Amino acid sequence: MKLSALTTAAALLATTALADVETRAVSFENDGATLSGTLYLPEGHDGSPLPTVVVTGAWTSVQEQMPANYAREMVERGFAAFTFDFRGWGKSGDLPQNVRFVESPEAKTSDIEKAFEFVASLPEVDATQINGLGICASAGYMVDAVSGNDIVKRVGLVAPWLQNEEIVEAVYGGTDGVAGLIEVSKSAEAAGGQIIPAAGPEGAEGVLMPIGGYYYEADRGAIPEYDDKWNNAGWEGWLTYHPADNPQRLDKPLAIVHSESAAIPQGVKSFLNGFAGTATTQWLEDVTQFDFYDNPEDVSRAADTMADHFRAGTDS
């Protein structure tokens, strides 16, 4: 189905008021699958086009987690916002061959590109003022999706996980550890997938993230909408994805908010060392990766920086 036909197909399934924010469920298509999205608008909005931010979240996440938090923050600062579930996650359709729960940088980048195309077709969106905001793992996907993309004005990254080969080996057990996980990935793919829990308590076995915290706590990320699954077939694509090595591809003004206490700050520094464009950076003290997802003070500070960055594009 061509995108021009999707505006009609994107039925407005629900409208819900959340404080000063209204949400509206929509859908769009990519590679034969239907993706579930949410448009965030100021409560009582008159329908006039607004500058808009497409927000994407961390690995294994669904749109109701950290993307929803930042979408609401953007609306409170005068923007429309858009979130969605990637193919194979949440309420969206499957990847090819009915595959789900694979952390595929290639597929997720493609989904973000289609999301930008879809958002640009909505009457409430100012198609000349569309921006991207990537959180954690999706920071790399967002950079890939906006680079060379005329639809997108500016890009912001919060707590970005920007890895290279050196960081991958440091995180995943050295050369042998990475090689072992790639073999796990190949075996899982050959078997049609091997799904394990994504989150678990500290020290749990057979779990992607045996660390407790955000994804494991019901009052934080362990919400009913969260899949809490990981397909081991995704390891190879994830481990061989090195966004920190490719900053030169980005041709948009950039803002980054991170902390030395959050995940792999060295990846951000490596990326910025090779980035020739305009970058605004904010380093917050003693903010953990999970704090950036849902701690109100830290989310608010990051959102302020992002809103200022995106507003700067309205005059250019």
Side-chain angles (χ1 to χ4, degrees):
M1 183 184 296
K2 291 187 179 297
L3 190 66
S4 59
L6 296 179
T7 305
T8 301
L12 306 182
L13 302 177
T15 301
T16 307
L18 295 171
D20 297 324
V21 179
E22 291 181 0
T23 64
R24 204 170 73 196
V26 298
S27 62
F28 63 103
E29 302 286 318
N30 189 20
D31 198 19
T34 300
L35 283 74
S36 174
T38 304
L39 180 65
Y40 290 74
L41 296 166
E43 186 175 10
H45 181 61
D46 63 5
S48 58
L50 292 172
T52 300
V53 184
V54 174
V55 186
T56 56
W59 73 345
T60 82
S61 67
V62 294
Q63 61 178 312
E64 293 87 357
Q65 292 172 311
M66 71 292 293
N69 292 337
Y70 280 87
R72 294 186 185 104
E73 295 285 337
M74 291 296 101
V75 172
E76 291 173 1
R77 289 158 176 79
F79 297 85
F82 185 75
T83 64
F84 66 95
D85 287 328
F86 292 103
R87 282 176 293 158
W89 303 91
K91 297 187 288 292
S92 287
D94 297 343
L95 288 162
Q97 286 79 55
N98 304 118
V99 169
R100 295 190 68 78
F101 315 124
V102 168
E103 189 67 32
S104 169
E106 181 180 5
K108 288 193 167 185
T109 297
S110 175
D111 290 345
I112 298 171
E113 291 170 347
K114 288 297 182 181
F116 282 126
E117 291 180 19
F118 172 69
V119 164
S121 74
L122 298 176
E124 299 89 349
V125 170
D126 182 347
T128 70
Q129 296 294 335
I130 297 175
N131 308 282
L133 172 54
I135 303 164
C136 190
S138 72
Y141 315 152
M142 182 62 73
V143 168
D144 288 341
V146 307
S147 296
N149 190 335
D150 292 338
I151 296 173
V152 186
K153 193 82 169 180
R154 288 173 169 250
V155 63
L157 310 177
V158 173
W161 185 285
L162 298 171
Q163 62 187 21
N164 54 25
E165 184 176 6
E166 180 181 0
I167 292 170
V168 166
E169 291 186 356
V171 172
Y172 297 104
T175 303
D176 291 342
V178 171
L181 287 172
I182 288 176
E183 286 304 311
V184 167
S185 183
K186 291 177 177 177
S187 296
E189 185 174 8
Q194 183 185 62
I195 296 170
I196 63 174
E202 188 171 353
E205 296 184 1
V207 175
L208 173 67
M209 297 179 284
I211 54 177
Y214 176 83
Y215 293 99
Y216 191 66
E217 297 177 12
D219 60 344
R220 300 187 73 187
I223 57 176
E225 296 87 351
Y226 181 46
D227 296 307
D228 193 19
K229 291 180 173 62
W230 166 270
N231 191 331
N232 277 331
W235 274 119
E236 184 172 17
W238 171 250
L239 294 171
T240 56
Y241 180 61
H242 301 148
D245 288 340
N246 297 300
Q248 66 279 357
R249 69 197 184 286
L250 180 60
D251 58 351
K252 303 291 186 294
L254 169 68
I256 293 178
V257 179
H258 207 28
S259 172
E260 293 286 353
S261 300
I264 59 167
Q266 67 270 36
V268 172
K269 295 171 185 177
S270 178
F271 185 91
L272 289 173
N273 282 341
F275 178 55
T278 302
T280 299
T281 59
Q282 181 184 29
W283 290 87
L284 302 180
E285 292 187 9
D286 300 324
V287 180
T288 70
Q289 192 74 7
F290 290 166
D291 287 338
F292 276 116
Y293 297 172
D294 68 349
N295 185 55
E297 179 184 0
D298 301 318
V299 170
S300 180
R301 288 192 290 172
D304 282 342
T305 297
M306 293 299 145
D308 288 345
H309 174 62
F310 298 141
R311 285 192 200 104
T314 62
D315 298 326
S316 58

